[in-house]
Amino acid sequence: MQTKISRLTALETERKSLESRSLTEREERLATRFEKGAPTEEELQEKRALAEEIKDKKKQLQERSAELLQRQAQPPKREFNLKACLLVVAAILLFGGVGVWFALQAAAIGLWVAGGICLAAGLVVKGVNAPLPPSNGENELLSLQAEIERLEGELLAFTKEYGSKSEDGTTALAVLEEDIRAYYAQTQAEEKRLAQLREIRAQASALQTECTRFLESYGVRTENLQSGLNQLTAEL
């Protein structure tokens, strides 16, 4: 009987230890974060794909930006300069007219007239020395950036439903998944504790009943089983 009473005392000590356990600060935070439930694996899988898409588009944005900077660093191509050409032709015709004046006056006059026309046109026409129209690279970058912001907004809306304060969707999702794993581990540990507690209470109750009945069979009635056993031993 002494062995059973000692075992009962040990069970009571273990029971009090399990009952007195309180949640840590992190465990309380996780319990609060997921008090309405954690996201399903299907939801998480969908958001992982979304985060991967954001990662790919950010990579595209980086590559396109580098390509655009490289193109902008190259000297721009120039178009045909009509003004300069007209003035050069005019000079050739006018000076050529002087050269043939003495030999062929009619031809010289014709050259002067043509040269005068080219000179006038050259003075009127504006110089064309502008670069070629810019490519649509800037528009592509803006479009990519807008798409990234849209996807980030969708991901952030999901993580903020579960208390995330980060403004980076990919980071917020990673932290959320880490917290979910910790929460499930915490839940399993709590279920194990409660199961142990139920088992200990059942064993203690059975031993309490057995020891009490044994002492009562010898006329000893007390709540302190050890004192009752000592009293019975002394009487015997």
Side-chain angles (χ1 to χ4, degrees), residues 24-37:
T24 65
E25 182 178 346
R26 173 171 169 76
E27 289 172 337
E28 288 180 353
R29 181 179 66 81
L30 292 176
T32 301
R33 183 172 194 179
F34 301 115
E35 61 183 350
K36 295 182 180 179

Side-chain angles (χ1 to χ4, degrees), residues 92-112:
I92 292 173
L93 292 173
L94 291 174
F95 285 107
V98 173
V100 300
W101 169 257
F102 297 101
L104 299 169
Q105 293 183 359
I109 293 172
L111 291 174
W112 285 344

Side-chain angles (χ1 to χ4, degrees), residues 42-54 57 145-162 164 166-170 172-173 176:
E42 183 180 356
E43 290 176 313
L44 290 173
Q45 186 63 37
E46 178 184 342
K47 300 312 174 187
R48 290 187 198 110
L50 184 60
E52 192 63 28
E53 184 177 0
I54 292 171
K57 289 192 177 297
Q145 184 63 43
E147 181 65 7
I148 290 171
E149 290 175 359
R150 184 188 69 79
L151 296 174
E152 281 271 11
E154 182 180 342
L155 188 55
L156 279 173
F158 171 75
T159 57
K160 286 185 176 181
E161 288 181 11
Y162 296 94
S164 174
S166 174
E167 292 302 321
D168 183 282
T170 304
L173 180 63
L176 175 61

